[in-house]
Amino acid sequence: MTQHKLYLSPIEALTNQLEKQPKFNGAAGGPDIIPTELLLKAYKETHFKPGCHDYPGAGGSLEARQAISEYTMKILGFPKTSPDKIIVTAGAQHAIKLLSQLLLDKDEKAVVENPGFIEGRMPIEYQTSRIETIDISLKGEVEIPGLAEKPKLAYTVPTAHNPLGIDYPESARYKLRKLAGEGIIVLEDDPYRALHSNPPDPIWTPGSNIAYIGSLSKTVAPGVRIGFIIPPEGLVEPLKLLSQHDFATNTPIGCMMQYLLDTGDLQGHIALKRTIYVERLDYMKRKLEEEMPDHEMSLAKGGFFVTIRLGCDSFKLLLKALDLGISFVPIRDFYLHDPVVDAIRISIAKLRIHYIDEYVKTLAKIVGECRGTL
Ligand SMILES: Cc1ncc(COP(=O)(O)O)c(C=O)c1O
């Protein structure tokens, strides 16, 4: 059995623990608006095309790489990237796994966020135990460490962070670009960009030493498992070779995405999602401010999450909350050190706007009762 680090993500643990989903699900990270009709139409229109059910080939099928090239232009507003410079993956997590395997030999140094997206960190922790952190406060202050020994990679979510929802300030974005310029491969994991009302420019620029990681899990559906990497030039071929180990990507979905981008249906769907999720996040923040004005809250700017401090034991409170039909995720385990132990992540991914009043009122009530239990 391997000696590498393997553990259950607390988000998985929480999901497994629940016998039934609470009425007000503030824990889930997967969107509740899924374009099932469009997917059906796209499959009907593309299933007969040659190549749409074959092995993908190294780096993903041609159709999928073409679709992602279109996606980065039409949805993300990026300049054209040639399909042969794109690596299609089975989601962003698969992208991080491929990059970690490729870049990190055992006990080589890596940098991750504190707090940070646990499943993004896991493949890095699997490769190495030598980890330094980028520390981030709820206010969105980002401390890029001075690095005496150069790490091989730095894993970051600079826009619509998970779990804080913050965008890195320009000073931190500049420092990350500088690190990349010094030879450290920076991973920019950016799944929420298209659902953000006003995202800052990515830290990635074409030709930089930054591996841009995208995903259609939030903009389409997590179950379709399609994501991608636009890697630094020197990593394109090695990533293609590594992708032969699993050929993990799905060819029908590549064809379907190409079709939906050509018809404009995907653009319409994502625009609708953006309007709805932006409205929900704004409303959630407003309600939390109204009902829980004394509680420190993260300066969430985009994506699905906002973090708030409760002033009491978040795990004990969760049990009570579940009894009352509401859920959230305590974020203690998103930290590698110095955790903010009483903070929770609230997700609007599955919380319809007309549920938010009751969700927040219930939360405020039980938090009021549990104060002083920390
Ligand atoms: C920052 C971040 N990266 C990646 C993912 C997951 O991406 P995928 O489903 O494409 O693997 C999530 C989902 O919660 C996320 O928040």
Side-chain angles (χ1 to χ4, degrees), residues 91-93 117 157 162 189 191-192 215 217-218 225:
Q93 290 176 229
F117 174 51
V157 184
N162 182 356
D189 180 12
Y192 301 101
S215 170
S217 285
K218 314 294 174 175
R225 306 310 298 142

